């Protein structure tokens, strides 16, 4: 069964962008699952119920041995496709290797690419025969450590400074939620959190209310609204509540949350951005270009 | 049933299920009288348990029940994705959860294509 991309599919869903890299999606493919963190992990691309490819990433201080990485990617292909031997090994420049393995059901492909300057290595392994991964790998990009990183997965699309780390991302039917935290100098405790939630069926959720009223109705009892504004169809709410730590509460300090909410009318989605913590709140992360594409 | 054959299954109202319409236009389903025997029947009488299961649906549930006319799960999932502007995967999960609840309440049953 093929999942056809509809006009209300996630805006900007032609790529997956996580942890400082972007990887293009083959036509009609979607992100089926991810695992890992900024230093290493993998993701699974699928088309309908058919797995297409597995993309793994890893950051390490030393320059990787790409031939060895390609051989390791091929081990899985040999197990899955019954391949016997590597038939083609191709070097594309100094930082990319591509391989082909012949099996009884077709030719299986894998590619490995190192991005100097970012210490990032991507490895893509085809999970079906005759899937050309070389073009996909050629279109992959790594983002510089000092530039904003794009995060694009499951319909969420935002740019965040590179010092924000993804804590977790959940994609449920009707809700996608991602949490980032900021840990200054790699401390154990985060000093700020950003949560993005993308709700489906926004019209049913709002039930005729505007997003500001919906947000206000969902506040906890001790919270009160300090400021409210609307600009470019984005609602901004600043709410505060008594501090969580008792001695700060005694001193009269209040913890702040900054909420932004906007609707993606074409896809009937409601996106809520929540920031809490110390320091300067993040601005709205809505991508105007992605909205225009939708 | 494996995953691929599940998508070809046809959901249908269970025998004896009555579909009623409320004033607001949504469906209210009433199951056939629940089969109870012996001690179960006695306890049900003592505790005055309802003889049937009744369930009132919202507009989306009504929309799905109105389309239990021989369409298989795959087709129903595609139409739900179109109607509610969901992705295919979201529609299938939502539809599966909804029908699972109806099956547990003896209101819907799944048939294979040959048996339909």
């Amino acid at each position: 069964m093929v999942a056809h991309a509809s006009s209300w599919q996630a805006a900007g869903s032609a790529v997956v962008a996580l942890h400082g890299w972007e990887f293009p999606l083959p036509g009609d493919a979607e992100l089926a699952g991810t695992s890992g963190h900024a230093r290493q992990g993998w993701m699974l691309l699928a088309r309908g119920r058919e797995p297409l490819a597995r993309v793994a990433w890893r950051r390490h201080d030393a320059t990787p041995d790409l031939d060895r990485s390609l051989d390791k990617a091929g081990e899985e292909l040999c197990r899955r496709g019954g391949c016997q031997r590597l038939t083609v090994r191709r070097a594309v420049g100094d930082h990319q290797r591509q391989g082909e393995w012949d099996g009884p059901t077709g030719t299986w492909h894998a590619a490995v690419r190192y991005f100097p300057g970012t210490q990032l290595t991507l490895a893509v392994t085809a999970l079906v025969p005759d899937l050309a991964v070389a073009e996909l790998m050629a279109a992959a990009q790594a983002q510089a450590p000092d530039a904003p990183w794009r995060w694009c997965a499951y319909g969420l699309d935002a740019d965040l400074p590179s010092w924000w780390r993804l804590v977790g991302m959940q994609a449920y039917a009707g809700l996608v939620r991602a949490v980032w935290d900021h840990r200054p100098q790699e401390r154990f405790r985060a000093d700020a959190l950003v949560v993005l939630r993308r709700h489906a069926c926004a019209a049913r959720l709002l039930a005729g209310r505007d997003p500001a009223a919906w947000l206000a109705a969902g506040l906890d009892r001790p919270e009160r609204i300090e400021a409210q504004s609307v600009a470019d169809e984005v609602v901004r709410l600043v709410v505060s509540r008594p501090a969580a730590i008792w001695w700060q509460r005694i001193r009269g300090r209040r913890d702040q949350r900054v909420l932004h909410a906007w609707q993606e009318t074409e896809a009937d989605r409601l996106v809520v951005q929540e920031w809490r913590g110390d320091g300067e709140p993040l601005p709205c992360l809505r991508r105007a270009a992605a909205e225009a594409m939708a | 049933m494996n995953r691929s054959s599940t998508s070809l299954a046809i959901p249908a109202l269970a025998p004896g299920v009555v579909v009623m319409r409320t004033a607001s236009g949504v469906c209210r389903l009433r199951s056939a009288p629940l089969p109870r025997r012996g001690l179960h029947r006695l306890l049900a009488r003592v505790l005055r348990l309802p003889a049937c299961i009744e369930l009132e649906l919202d507009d989306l549930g009504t929309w799905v029940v109105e389309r239990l006319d021989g369409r298989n799960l795959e087709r129903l999932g595609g139409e739900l994705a179109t109607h509610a502007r969901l992705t295919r995967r979201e529609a299938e999960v939502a539809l599966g959860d909804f029908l699972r609840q109806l099956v547990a309440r003896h209101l819907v049953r799944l048939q294979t294509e040959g048996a339909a």
Side-chain angles (χ1 to χ4, degrees):
Chain A
M1 185 187 70
V2 176
H4 298 283
S6 319
S7 61
W8 50 82
Q9 294 290 325
S13 58
V15 297
V16 174
L18 295 169
H19 302 293
W21 48 262
E22 285 188 29
F23 195 85
L25 287 173
D28 276 0
E30 56 181 344
L31 179 61
T34 63
S35 176
H37 45 82
R39 290 201 67 83
Q40 65 181 29
W42 56 267
M43 68 172 182
L44 186 65
L45 305 181
R47 180 182 292 141
R49 294 198 179 93
E50 182 189 34
L52 277 188
R54 182 178 181 275
V55 181
W57 67 90
R58 191 163 185 148
R59 290 179 196 274
H60 29 69
D61 298 330
T63 306
D65 183 345
L66 294 180
D67 290 312
R68 196 170 152 201
S69 301
L70 186 68
D71 290 337
K72 191 153 187 212
E75 286 174 10
E76 183 180 344
L77 287 181
C78 291
R79 275 198 307 271
R80 176 178 281 270
C83 309
Q84 298 298 323
R85 61 192 177 89
L86 174 67
T87 52
V88 173
R89 184 192 294 268
R90 197 180 299 121
V92 180
D94 293 332
H95 303 298
Q96 190 173 347
R97 300 287 185 272
Q98 297 165 4
E100 294 175 14
W101 287 257
D102 280 337
T105 54
T107 305
W108 299 73
H109 300 257
V112 182
R113 184 174 171 187
Y114 174 65
F115 296 86
T118 61
Q119 301 175 324
L120 175 72
T121 304
L122 286 182
V124 57
T125 312
L127 299 178
V128 291
D130 303 317
L131 177 69
V133 300
E135 287 87 1
L136 296 175
M137 186 58 95
Q141 297 174 22
Q143 288 145 4
D146 54 353
W149 284 3
R150 184 182 180 188
W151 298 87
C152 179
Y154 301 118
L156 291 176
D157 200 350
D159 288 330
L160 277 166
S162 58
W163 51 82
W164 287 89
R165 288 286 181 259
L166 183 70
V167 176
M169 184 178 283
Q170 293 100 24
Y172 304 117
L175 172 66
V176 177
R177 178 177 56 207
V179 182
W180 291 266
D181 69 2
H182 174 243
R183 294 167 188 266
Q185 297 161 1
E186 301 295 327
R187 283 188 225 156
F188 286 117
R189 187 172 172 271
D191 68 349
L193 279 179
V194 166
V195 183
L196 270 183
R197 296 182 185 87
R198 190 169 185 260
H199 301 266
C201 299
R204 297 170 61 83
L205 208 61
L206 295 173
R209 295 173 291 184
D210 63 279
W214 182 79
L215 283 176
L219 296 179
D220 295 331
R221 193 179 244 192
E223 287 183 318
R224 66 171 186 233
I225 299 175
E226 303 287 347
Q228 180 175 333
S229 61
V230 178
D232 290 332
E233 298 176 345
V234 177
V235 171
R236 182 176 187 268
L237 229 60
V238 180
V239 301
S240 69
R241 64 188 301 157
I245 303 173
W246 67 270
W247 66 81
Q248 293 179 347
R249 197 158 53 238
I250 289 174
R251 289 168 58 195
R253 183 184 156 169
R254 297 183 71 85
D255 290 340
Q256 217 177 52
R257 271 201 307 159
V258 179
L259 300 165
H260 291 84
W262 62 92
Q263 276 186 274
E264 295 176 3
T265 323
E266 178 71 23
D268 194 24
R269 306 278 167 156
L270 177 69
V271 184
V272 179
Q273 171 191 328
E274 177 185 346
W275 175 94
R276 66 169 73 192
D278 303 329
E280 190 66 27
L282 279 177
C284 177
L285 299 175
R286 180 187 185 191
R287 284 174 62 91
E291 287 288 314
M293 283 168 63
Chain B
M1 257 186 171
N2 59 22
R3 189 124 187 231
S4 54
S5 64
T6 304
S7 64
L8 300 176
I10 298 172
L13 291 173
V17 169
V18 176
V19 181
M20 299 168 286
R21 289 275 177 178
T22 65
S24 54
V26 296
C27 278
R28 193 179 177 89
L29 302 178
R30 180 190 295 157
S31 72
L34 299 173
R36 290 171 178 149
R37 291 186 181 82
L39 184 62
H40 191 196
R41 187 176 177 185
L42 176 63
L43 281 173
R45 288 186 73 176
V46 167
L47 298 174
R48 298 188 185 182
L49 297 177
C52 310
I53 294 174
E54 280 200 23
L55 193 66
E56 185 168 315
L57 306 175
D58 64 359
D59 57 329
L60 207 50
T62 301
W63 184 91
V64 172
V65 166
E66 285 171 348
R67 280 151 184 81
L68 298 182
D69 55 4
R71 298 170 212 225
N72 59 27
L73 288 177
E74 183 173 336
R75 185 179 163 194
L76 208 47
E79 292 180 4
L80 179 62
T82 307
H83 174 74
R85 286 191 279 180
L86 301 171
T87 64
R88 189 62 184 254
R89 202 177 292 274
E90 287 173 335
E92 288 180 354
V93 170
L95 183 65
D97 281 348
F98 174 64
L99 290 176
R100 195 177 301 121
Q101 292 182 48
L102 294 186
V103 167
R105 289 168 172 80
H106 309 286
L107 295 168
V108 160
R109 62 178 185 182
L110 288 180
Q111 302 167 330
T112 53
E113 272 200 322

